[in-house]
Amino acid sequence: ATGANSPDVQYCGGNECSNACRRCERLFGMWRLVSAFDRLADCTERSDPRSVAYLSYSDSGHMCFVSIDPARPQWAAANSPTESEALSAITGLRAYCGALEIKGDQGFVLHRVEIDRNPSQIGAVRKRWYSFNGDRLTLRADAAELTPPVVERALIWEKLAQ
């Protein structure tokens, strides 16, 4: 079974999505990155070069995220990258998938990482605070996951038409 009544999907801290937190259902679907930035302790901002990204949240309790740096160089040989081309390909990619837990009454989601470009991150739990502004979704990394001088990390998404 899937959806709001599935025992495998946790909504709003329980197995039943209450009327007060049905907004969590707005999360489901495919999202395209509009912008992403880190705010630094000196009040400046920096953007991530991996600026092309997609995020998927499913009502089966799963999520997947992938982003790339669109300026990564093309490989001279389509199937045989040089060492520097291979390094650029992997450093210009961010990707992970896993279980999704929605805590709609508290305003955050948990990404329980099962697959990651970085094998050291498998098993990690990523907490993302979410809010909606019209048809846009903003995800903010939990402060505990930030490394100084970063004091805020935000990603703004637009939902793709179904």
Side-chain angles (χ1 to χ4, degrees):
T2 61
N5 295 320
S6 170
D8 298 328
V9 181
Q10 292 193 16
Y11 299 93
C12 311
N15 291 334
E16 187 174 324
C17 198
S18 70
N19 288 334
C21 59
R22 289 227 178 255
R23 70 181 183 275
C24 62
E25 293 177 354
R26 289 180 65 190
L27 290 165
F28 301 139
M30 181 67 83
W31 300 85
R32 179 181 18 233
L33 187 66
V34 173
S35 66
F37 67 88
D38 288 345
R39 189 175 325 280
L40 308 180
D42 66 3
C43 297
T44 60
E45 289 184 3
R46 71 175 176 209
S47 57
D48 190 323
R50 295 169 293 203
S51 61
V52 175
Y54 288 93
L55 172 71
S56 175
Y57 284 146
S58 81
D59 64 358
S60 67
H62 298 90
M63 59 76 52
C64 205
F65 164 84
V66 64
S67 67
I68 63 160
D69 176 351
R72 294 182 305 167
Q74 296 286 318
W75 296 351
N79 295 317
S80 293
T82 64
E83 188 175 317
S84 66
E85 288 171 338
L87 181 61
S88 175
I90 198 69
T91 58
L93 170 73
R94 181 80 179 105
Y96 69 91
C97 300
L100 170 67
E101 187 174 337
I102 301 171
K103 300 291 189 177
D105 58 340
Q106 298 171 56
F108 66 85
V109 296
L110 298 174
H111 300 166
R112 299 188 180 278
V113 179
E114 298 170 2
I115 299 170
D116 196 297
R117 174 192 62 109
N118 177 348
S120 299
Q121 291 297 307
I122 294 172
V125 177
R126 297 188 175 120
K127 186 176 188 179
R128 301 292 180 257
W129 297 90
Y130 72 88
S131 61
F132 294 100
N133 184 2
D135 63 346
R136 300 270 168 107
L137 166 67
T138 299
L139 294 178
R140 287 187 166 71
D142 192 63
E145 298 176 41
L146 302 175
T147 303
V150 177
V151 296
E152 178 186 15
R153 174 165 295 134
L155 294 95
I156 302 169
W157 303 90
E158 66 181 353
K159 197 167 200 175
L160 298 179
Q162 298 210 12

